[in-house]
C-alpha cells in the first residue's frame, strides 16, 4: 500500500509519533526512509485538516535532533569498532567506501557537514555516529544538529504542506488539464532525481578504491 494511503488510516497522533520515531531512528544511524515518511505526512496534512502541520514539523524536528544526539553518544562510546559492526550489518550503507567519503566530508567541513548532512540521505544516516567517532566537540555538534534539524524537518514540512495546498486548489480549478500537467511534472522530477542519484552513486563507488 502507498505510504500516504496507509497514513490516512491511522489517527493524527499516530502520524506524529511515527514521523518522529522513523526520523529519529534514521538519524541515529539505522537506514530508514525518514524523508519519504515526512514528505508523505506533510502532503497528507495539506489535504487532511486533522493533521496539524506545526505539530508535524515539531515532531520531525524533535526526532531529528534527539536521534542525532543519541547517534553521537553511541558513536563516541563505540568508536571505530562500531563502524565496522555497522558495515557487517548494513554493507550497502556502511561500506568502507561510504565511510571514507563521509569522513572526508567531516574533515573538510567540520560542523557544517552535520548541518548540510541533514539534506543528504547518506550523510543523514552517518552524521550523528560519525561525529561521535571522530570526537567532534559536543557543543559544535549540538549547534549544527539543532539548526540542521529545524531547517530540514521544519522547512521540508512547510514547503510540502504549502505546495500540496496550492496543487490541490490548482487541480480543482483546471480539472484534467491540471492533472496531466502534475503527472508530467512528477515524471520529469523523478527522472532528474534518478539521474542525480545515479551520478552520486557512481561518485561514491569511485571513492571506494581510495580506502587503504
Amino acid at each position: 500500500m502507498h505510504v500516504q494511503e496507509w497514513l490516512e488510516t491511522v489517527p493524527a497522533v499516530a502520524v506524529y509519533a511515527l514521523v518522529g520515531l522513523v526520523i529519529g531512528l534514521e538519524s541515529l544511524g539505522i537506514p530508514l526512509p525518514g524523508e519519504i515518511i515526512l514528505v508523505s505526512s506533510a502532503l497528507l496534512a495539506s489535504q487532511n485538516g486533522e493533521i496539524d502541520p506545526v505539530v508535524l514539523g515539531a515532531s520531525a524536528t524533535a526526532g531529528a535532533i534527539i536521534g542525532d544526539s543519541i547517534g553521537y553518544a553511541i558513536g563516541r562510546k563505540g568508536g571505530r569498532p562500531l563502524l565496522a559492526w555497522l558495515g557487517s550489518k548494513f554493507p550497502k550503507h556502511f561500506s568502507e567506501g561510504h565511510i571514507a567519503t563521509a569522513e572526508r566530508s567531516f574533515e573538510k567541513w567540520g560542523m557544517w557537514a552535520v548541518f548540510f548532512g541533514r539534506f543528504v540521505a547518506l550523510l543523514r544516516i552517518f552524521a550523528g555516529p560519525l561525529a561521535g567517532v571522530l570526537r567532534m566537540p559536543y557543543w559544535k555538534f549540538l549547534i549544527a544538529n539543532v539548526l540542521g534539524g529545524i531547517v530540514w524537518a521544519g522547512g521540508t514540512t512547510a514547503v510540502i504542506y504549502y505546495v500540496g495546498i496550492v496543487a490541490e486548489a490548482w487541480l480543482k480549478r483546471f480539472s484534467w488539464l491540471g492533472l496531466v500537467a502534475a503527472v508530467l511534472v512528477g515524471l520529469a522530477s523523478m527522472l532528474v532525481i534518478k539521474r542525480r542519484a545515479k551520478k552520486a552513486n557512481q561518485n561514491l563507488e569511485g571513492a571506494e578504491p581510495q580506502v587503504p
Side-chain angles (χ1 to χ4, degrees):
M1 186 181 293
H2 191 277
V3 174
Q4 188 173 343
E5 293 177 348
W6 180 80
L7 289 172
E8 291 175 350
T9 66
V10 300
V13 65
V15 174
Y16 304 144
L18 179 66
V19 168
L21 179 63
V22 171
I23 291 178
L25 291 175
E26 182 190 38
S27 302
L28 190 152
I30 300 176
L32 290 174
E35 194 165 43
I36 294 176
I37 294 294
L38 178 58
V39 169
S40 298
S41 300
L43 190 59
L44 179 60
S46 69
Q47 304 165 358
N48 187 338
E50 295 181 3
I51 299 177
D52 189 331
V54 176
V55 177
L56 180 65
S59 299
T61 300
I65 295 172
I66 294 172
D68 246 11
S69 296
I70 295 175
Y72 174 91
I74 293 174
R76 193 174 180 88
K77 184 175 182 179
R80 291 194 175 277
L82 172 65
L83 297 180
W85 180 82
L86 289 172
S88 67
K89 297 296 182 181
F90 307 102
K92 182 178 178 181
H93 296 88
F94 289 90
S95 67
E96 292 185 357
H98 287 181
I99 292 174
T101 299
E103 283 186 325
R104 285 195 293 272
S105 298
F106 269 72
E107 290 171 359
K108 183 176 182 179
W109 300 106
M111 61 187 294
W112 289 109
V114 177
F115 178 85
F116 288 112
R118 180 58 62 184
F119 300 87
V120 182
L122 178 62
L123 286 179
R124 188 160 56 245
I125 298 172
F126 277 115
L130 191 56
V133 170
L134 298 178
R135 302 283 175 170
M136 176 182 287
Y138 183 69
W139 68 269
K140 288 186 176 182
F141 170 80
L142 183 61
I143 292 174
N145 178 28
V146 171
L147 292 179
I150 292 173
V151 174
W152 176 74
T156 299
T157 302
V159 169
I160 298 300
Y161 176 77
Y162 286 112
V163 166
I165 290 178
V166 172
E168 186 177 14
W170 196 71
L171 289 174
K172 286 181 179 178
R173 183 176 179 182
F174 293 98
S175 187
W176 65 273
L177 289 176
L179 180 60
V180 171
V183 170
L184 292 176
V185 170
L187 289 174
S189 300
M190 185 171 62
L191 290 174
V192 171
I193 292 173
K194 287 183 67 176
R195 181 177 298 178
R196 290 184 177 179
K198 183 178 180 181
K199 184 177 180 181
N201 187 53
Q202 290 174 344
N203 291 337
L204 287 173
E205 289 178 353
E208 292 190 15
Q210 300 176 16
V211 180

